[in-house]
Amino acid sequence: MRYWLLLLCLLSITAQAETALPCTQDDNCVTEQKLYLNIALGYGQRSNPLHDGDELPLVLLPDIYYYSKRWFFDNGKLGTSWALNDQWQLSLVGQFNQEKGFFQKWFGGNAFQFRHSFANSGIVDETEKDTGPLQASVREISKRPTAYDLGLQLDWFGENWHLQGVAWQDVSNTYQGQHATIGAGRSWQTSTGNWQLGARLHWKSAKLIDTYYGIDNNEPFYLDRYKGKPSWQPELRLGWQYPLSERVALLAFLRYLHLDDAMTDSPLVRTDHVTTWFFGVSYRLF
């Protein structure tokens, strides 16, 4: 319940649209049937909350999307949308589940989760929880599976505001569970650049948590058993972009994701948060 209250408090200050925004006179609108490709070069890092898990260096970040009249591809998310009215949009979307990215450093799904157009994330704090002999290294456990999710996404667009809710179902029959996200955000333009601040609340089912962070009888006998529980994970995002020319811009982003007891009780998990940060230069190829 405290995470719901946290999100409601942040609605007054929070933005990040992951689908095309309705156009106004001053917007840089997405044109149908045109491919957009941006590349950001710089440096950043995503922390890894797992014991012996590799941190993910962020050096070259792609931002690629294409919208046609019937379908779209947006940074790893494939779907189709229906405009309900001027402010509401409903989408059917699919993408690879991102959970495996903590277990496999170069998991393909990691490539697109750092959409740098005002996306990700956080100042690194490597304080570890005291797990004593209960801790388990990711190098000791069996390989975690790759899953594909199908989701129903609802977006509301206002002036400089964006609200979003999306519910996902595993359609690959991998973890046979669900997860969902609600979020809100706000963007504003100043003399120092374009800023976006957003908040999200993620819910992950017990089956999802158990598949990736549980320890069952298929794991080495000396590891403590753990059965996953439903998890609530609030997240804060801050993004900044300063255009240098029509195609080049400076950019930075921060993200902080808090992990609750359903995650930190797992012997695999050593911290109660995931932080990501990046600073670099973005170039729009086309």
Side-chain angles (χ1 to χ4, degrees):
M1 178 60 69
R2 64 182 183 274
Y3 296 147
W4 286 97
L5 294 176
L6 174 64
L7 183 65
L8 290 174
C9 292
L10 289 167
L11 290 182
S12 61
I13 57 172
T14 47
Q16 175 188 353
E18 291 193 1
T19 54
L21 295 171
C23 292
T24 65
Q25 228 175 359
D26 300 325
D27 285 337
N28 294 318
C29 300
V30 174
T31 303
E32 284 188 349
Q33 299 181 331
K34 181 177 179 181
L35 178 67
Y36 287 79
L37 176 60
N38 296 271
I39 297 294
L41 179 64
Y43 186 74
Q45 194 173 77
R46 185 195 65 184
S47 67
N48 195 315
L50 306 182
H51 288 286
D52 295 326
D54 294 324
E55 294 182 342
L56 183 66
L58 306 178
V59 178
L60 190 66
L61 302 184
D63 186 8
I64 179 171
Y65 48 97
Y66 175 85
Y67 284 81
S68 72
K69 291 184 178 180
R70 299 186 182 275
W71 66 275
F72 65 86
F73 175 84
D74 192 336
N75 290 281
K77 182 183 290 184
L78 184 65
T80 184
S81 296
W82 302 272
L84 304 180
N85 55 41
D86 290 342
Q87 292 185 303
W88 291 94
Q89 179 172 285
L90 183 66
S91 304
L92 181 66
V93 291
Q95 68 175 9
F96 287 103
N97 188 280
Q98 301 298 313
E99 224 64 42
K100 187 176 178 179
F102 293 122
F103 296 87
Q104 184 177 327
K105 186 175 183 179
W106 302 117
F107 169 59
N110 281 335
F112 291 112
Q113 65 172 299
F114 304 107
R115 177 176 180 173
H116 57 75
S117 300
F118 310 110
N120 306 355
S121 330
I123 300 171
V124 178
D125 175 7
E126 296 303 327
T127 303
E128 300 186 8
K129 67 186 183 81
D130 183 11
T131 58
L134 299 178
Q135 68 183 47
S137 169
V138 294
R139 309 183 197 286
E140 299 176 283
I141 61 172
S142 59
K143 185 178 179 180
R144 276 7 188 194
T146 300
Y148 194 82
D149 298 330
L150 194 66
L152 195 62
Q153 178 175 305
L154 182 64
D155 293 272
W156 177 85
F157 302 103
E159 186 176 357
N160 299 322
W161 284 87
H162 175 222
L163 305 179
Q164 182 184 88
V166 56
W168 299 93
Q169 170 67 48
D170 170 29
V171 293
S172 59
N173 201 34
T174 300
Y175 62 89
Q176 300 178 351
Q178 306 81 29
H179 60 104
T181 298
I182 58 172
R186 177 172 169 75
S187 62
W188 66 96
Q189 181 75 42
T190 72
S191 59
T192 60
N194 193 308
W195 296 83
Q196 289 194 353
L197 184 63
R200 293 183 174 188
L201 181 61
H202 307 277
W203 171 81
K204 299 176 182 180
S205 70
K207 288 184 176 180
L208 188 156
I209 297 298
D210 190 51
T211 298
Y212 289 96
Y213 305 101
I215 303 293
D216 59 22
N217 293 329
N218 295 319
E219 312 294 354
F221 71 91
Y222 53 83
L223 298 179
D224 291 289
R225 308 295 97 172
Y226 178 71
K227 186 172 180 60
K229 302 172 292 187
S231 178
W232 294 92
Q233 301 175 10
E235 179 185 25
L236 296 177
R237 298 184 173 199
L238 176 66
W240 169 81
Q241 189 170 26
Y242 186 84
L244 301 177
S245 69
E246 184 180 350
R247 291 181 176 269
V248 181
L250 295 175
L251 65 91
F253 56 72
L254 303 169
R255 181 200 293 176
Y256 180 92
L257 175 68
H258 179 75
L259 307 177
D260 68 356
D261 292 346
M263 285 281 292
T264 58
D265 284 347
S266 169
L268 290 171
V269 179
R270 63 182 176 86
T271 71
D272 64 357
H273 60 272
V274 178
T275 57
T276 315
W277 61 274
F278 180 84
F279 179 80
V281 178
S282 173
Y283 179 76
R284 182 170 63 85
L285 280 77
F286 47 84

